[in-house]
Amino acid sequence: QVQLVESGGGLVPAGGSLRLSCAAFGYISGLGLCMGWFRQAPGKEREGVALIDRDGSTTYADSVKGRFTISKDTNKMYLQMNSLRPEDTAMYYCAADYSRCSGRYLTNGNGMPYWGKGTLVTISS
């Protein structure tokens, strides 16, 4: 059973930066994980932000391209968020799957079996 724990959220002004972390526990290290960041704003559906596959290849939502960077090391995944906007305000979740990343995951993460509880990001205007 993979357990995911997010951290790094907070309140920052528009134009600022934050770095989110997602620590993974309990996974079988030899298999590798597809991992991703997702977010859900109040009153809105969950949406994909970025994915990083087992081979390190990345995919981004158009809304964050050029501003956000996803990365990972041995047992952590990161999301460096720059040039933050008020519309980036949301609860941010990380998710994981032992399979290779599917392009459909970027829509909303449906089908990914492992999820963290989220970290709140609030951007003030």
Side-chain angles (χ1 to χ4, degrees), residues 1-5 23-33 74-75 96 98 114:
Q1 183 77 3
V2 178
Q3 294 181 324
L4 303 171
V5 180
F25 304 95
Y27 67 95
I28 302 172
S29 60
L31 293 181
L33 295 170
T74 302
N75 65 342
Y98 279 116
Y114 307 110

Side-chain angles (χ1 to χ4, degrees), residues 64-78:
V64 306
K65 281 181 182 176
R67 301 189 298 124
F68 291 10
T69 303
I70 189 172
S71 62
K72 66 179 180 178
D73 59 23
T74 302
N75 65 342
K76 273 193 174 181
M77 177 179 64
Y78 306 95

Side-chain angles (χ1 to χ4, degrees), residues 1 3 8 12 15 20 23 34 47-48 51-52 61 71 74 79 82 89 91-92 96 111-112 117:
Q1 183 77 3
Q3 294 181 324
V12 297
L20 306 184
C34 162
E47 63 177 1
L51 297 174
I52 185 163
S71 62
T74 302
L79 186 69
N82 299 326
T89 294
M91 185 72 78
Y92 282 70
M112 297 188 79
K117 294 185 178 181

Side-chain angles (χ1 to χ4, degrees), residues 45-67:
E45 294 186 353
R46 187 175 66 204
E47 63 177 1
V49 175
L51 297 174
I52 185 163
D53 212 337
R54 297 185 296 182
D55 62 358
S57 58
T58 58
T59 309
Y60 295 91
D62 288 343
S63 60
V64 306
K65 281 181 182 176
R67 301 189 298 124

